Amino acid sequence: MLNDALIRLVAQRVMEKVNEYNTFKIPVGVSNRHVHVSQKDLETLFGEGFQLTKKSDLKQPGQYACNETVTIRGPKGEFEGVRILGPVRKQSQIEISKTDSFRLGVRPPIRESGDLEGTPGLEMIGPSGTVPLHQGAIIALRHIHMRPEQAAALGIKDKDLVEVETFGERYGVFGDVLIRVSEDYSLEMHVDVDEANACALDNNDYVMIRKK
């Protein structure tokens, strides 16, 4: 039989692993294709003076899914009913997956949100007009939003790149996951549909940052 000292040691090691998991675990948000629009482009798509209307809040404070959708069209195909996310931005942006790009016929780079220089364009089509974007289509770089105190607890900082482990039957490790730190963020890792499917991830699953 195990003696008391060994039982305590095993229990201690188990609690250490539990505490490590609780410290480094990150909830997942799976991003389907979507668009962000400028006020100017919004009015072209939906009419002069149009304002976005909220369908549901997203986990990131102040961000929301809108009732409004558009069609996005590329050289080879299109997707209807693509959700707009609010609020409006200074520049319109279309976020798609690698799989989406084949149907649309474009080759967008993997970029951080807002880094649009040199990216391909797509058409956005709304009920009142069409916006031919000359650039703005990206595959979003996988990333983690967190607050400064969370980053400090993990020993990481804004713009760091980390490795993230998933769990379950399709266990995997994501490399080059961008850390984004702000007082305005809520803890969440964002992956696109392709990445989520590769590791069988759903919204609100947990992943874990690998310790350095």
Side-chain angles (χ1 to χ4, degrees):
M1 296 179 62
L2 295 176
N3 59 40
D4 290 345
L6 184 54
I7 291 173
R8 287 195 295 272
L9 178 60
V10 171
Q12 178 183 342
R13 294 288 173 82
V14 170
M15 287 307 301
E16 286 174 355
K17 294 300 291 183
V18 170
N19 290 335
E20 177 183 315
Y21 172 73
N22 286 334
T23 299
F24 287 84
K25 72 177 185 179
I26 310 290
V28 172
V30 180
S31 295
N32 201 351
R33 69 185 77 95
H34 62 271
V35 303
H36 302 277
V37 295
S38 67
Q39 184 61 40
K40 177 183 177 181
D41 289 346
L42 178 65
E43 294 188 21
T44 299
L45 294 165
F46 290 91
E48 184 177 353
F50 191 87
Q51 299 294 313
L52 293 171
T53 60
K54 184 187 297 185
K55 179 178 186 289
S56 59
D57 287 313
L58 302 178
K59 182 169 288 186
Q60 296 309 308
Q63 305 295 304
Y64 54 90
C66 302
N67 291 303
E68 292 74 33
T69 64
V70 296
T71 295
I72 57 174
R73 179 179 293 162
K76 290 186 177 180
E78 64 183 37
F79 289 103
E80 298 179 350
V82 179
R83 185 78 53 193
I84 297 176
L85 301 188
V88 294
R89 294 192 175 186
K90 292 181 180 180
Q91 188 173 1
S92 293
Q93 174 177 306
I94 301 174
E95 296 184 32
I96 60 175
S97 69
K98 183 71 171 179
T99 300
D100 291 340
S101 74
F102 300 141
R103 177 168 167 181
L104 293 168
V106 291
R107 299 182 65 181
I110 299 172
R111 292 279 184 87
E112 184 178 358
S113 180
D115 182 6
L116 306 179
E117 186 67 31
T119 60
L122 292 167
E123 281 187 305
M124 293 192 299
I125 304 167
S128 296
T130 298
V131 175
L133 292 179
H134 300 295
Q135 64 178 21
I138 64 169
I139 299 171
L141 177 65
R142 51 187 175 240
H143 58 277
I144 298 173
H145 294 279
M146 62 178 61
R147 293 175 55 81
E149 62 270 22
Q150 293 165 331
L154 293 168
I156 53 182
K157 63 185 185 301
D158 189 49
K159 303 300 183 182
D160 275 355
L161 296 173
V162 300
E163 290 186 343
V164 170
E165 292 183 72
T166 72
F167 302 93
E169 293 181 330
R170 303 193 78 178
Y171 166 85
V173 176
F174 290 119
D176 293 336
V177 180
L178 179 69
I179 298 297
R180 300 177 62 184
V181 180
S182 171
E183 293 281 359
D184 298 326
Y185 290 156
S186 177
L187 185 64
E188 187 178 32
M189 178 176 177
H190 285 171
V191 295
D192 68 24
V193 173
D194 286 352
E195 294 167 318
N197 288 342
C199 291
L201 291 173
D202 292 316
N203 283 316
N204 301 315
D205 282 349
Y206 283 95
V207 295
M208 189 169 78
I209 293 180
R210 283 183 143 187
K211 291 198 300 183
K212 295 182 179 179

